[in-house]
Amino acid sequence: MSTATKEDPAMAPTCCPPFDPTLYQEAEGIDYKILQWTSKPFIKEGTWCCYYVPLSYGKALTRATKKLEDAGAALPEKDAIVLSDCDSAWYSTMLVSSGKEEVPGAEMVTLSGTFLAKVFEGEYKEMCEWFKATKSLVARLKEENNVKCEDVEKMKMLFYYTTCPKCAKKYGKNYVVVFAKLSDK
């Protein structure tokens, strides 16, 4: 039985595991990581938004999680990611990582390519700044010949919200990982 109160977030139960931002750092002093994915499977779900703020994110995640668990395709917590693609101010596509290429009753997609992952910490209202900072980082790395990127202005960006708002409050940190697709290769 929980003794948590609204006044004491430290006592609140958690549903999200603590996030380790070093998972997305190349090395000490390099605060991003280059990832290569080949046909990485995801369940595709969607949620309505109001000016990019998801309205039914939890319900969409619950639907996807149930399908994964029923199919024995759920990944260990440390390997699971949920990516959001804010298609518009009114709708967001959600991609939930899967341990299998096929999950009954689910729309499946795969992601392939080279991605730059960059961790940010702060409130969700800072998303525009994180978007701009990621673009600037990729442009700088491209100029220095450290990464190849076909078109910095048109590159796809996906967002990984590492914890729900309640858990972020409990942990005292709200981490978001931006995945910038550098190329299809």
Side-chain angles (χ1 to χ4, degrees), residues 2-16 164-173:
S2 174
T3 59
T5 66
K6 288 182 181 178
E7 295 79 33
D8 188 1
M11 293 300 294
T14 59
C15 54
C16 306
C164 70
K166 287 180 184 177
C167 290
K169 187 173 184 176
K170 177 179 173 80
Y171 297 138
K173 297 279 186 180

Side-chain angles (χ1 to χ4, degrees), residues 49-90:
C49 299
C50 182
Y51 292 104
Y52 299 102
V53 176
L55 299 176
S56 56
Y57 189 89
K59 288 180 184 178
L61 183 57
T62 299
R63 282 192 308 267
T65 301
K66 178 160 179 21
K67 291 173 188 173
L68 287 168
E69 289 171 351
D70 289 350
L75 292 170
E77 280 185 346
K78 67 178 183 59
D79 298 325
I81 60 173
V82 179
L83 300 175
S84 292
D85 181 358
C86 296
D87 303 344
S88 75
W90 311 111

